[in-house]
Amino acid sequence: MISVLTLTYKRKHLLEEAIESFLKQLPFSDCEMVIINDCPDIKYIFEHPQIKIINCKERFPSIASKLEWGYKQCKNDYIYRLDDDDLLTFWALNNVKIDIQNNPGFEIYRSKGMYFFQDNKFIKESSNINNGNVYT
């Protein structure tokens, strides 16, 4: 039902946490995480049936082109954008599924809020127009 699209470039330490936050969403067998790595010098490998890492042989000319190509790699109807330096709360994908079921037919489902932390300390709750949104 939901593909989580994550773009990365030379940020393994952050990517590991993003993957871990996705795995805590399971047992959603209808969800996948698609990671687009366009650093040709680094090859990421993570064996899990719901995680697909694509190691590109060259750098994309722009974030927009990387996103556009990344969207095409996702197999599900709904795509959740998650940057490599962001994390999913335990309930994130479940809330998205409930939103979609209760409000079918929209092209974008926007997150009501995000939690911001610095040095593992809660800073504030706010909204963000770029992340946490789901697109069809």
Side-chain angles (χ1 to χ4, degrees), residues 30-45:
D30 58 350
C31 294
E32 68 170 351
M33 183 177 204
V34 177
I35 300 166
I36 309 297
N37 167 38
D38 67 339
C39 179
D41 300 335
I42 298 173
K43 183 177 180 182
Y44 295 122
I45 298 171

Side-chain angles (χ1 to χ4, degrees), residues 59-114:
R59 189 100 200 255
F60 283 90
S62 68
I63 282 284
S65 62
K66 189 173 180 179
L67 270 173
E68 182 180 0
W69 189 81
Y71 286 133
K72 293 175 184 173
Q73 308 313 305
C74 297
K75 70 176 182 182
N76 292 317
D77 294 332
Y78 300 96
I79 301 172
Y80 187 111
R81 275 278 296 115
L82 182 74
D83 284 343
D84 60 1
D85 62 347
D86 293 334
L87 305 174
L88 295 165
T89 58
F90 296 116
W91 56 86
L93 295 184
N94 189 51
N95 282 0
V96 169
K97 285 183 172 193
I98 291 169
D99 267 353
I100 292 168
Q101 290 167 352
N102 291 341
N103 306 284
F106 288 96
E107 293 179 0
I108 298 174
Y109 293 86
R110 186 165 187 271
S111 174
K112 292 180 182 176
M114 301 183 76

Side-chain angles (χ1 to χ4, degrees), residues 8-13 15 35 37 39 42-46 53-55:
T8 192
Y9 184 84
K10 292 187 177 183
R11 300 203 301 182
K12 177 185 173 195
H13 63 291
L15 182 59
I35 300 166
N37 167 38
C39 179
I42 298 173
K43 183 177 180 182
Y44 295 122
I45 298 171
F46 191 90
I53 299 178
I54 302 171
N55 294 293

Side-chain angles (χ1 to χ4, degrees), residues 14-32:
L14 298 171
L15 182 59
E16 289 173 344
E17 289 183 306
I19 291 171
E20 182 181 356
S21 75
F22 171 77
L23 291 174
K24 289 181 179 177
Q25 303 296 305
L26 303 178
F28 294 131
S29 60
D30 58 350
C31 294
E32 68 170 351

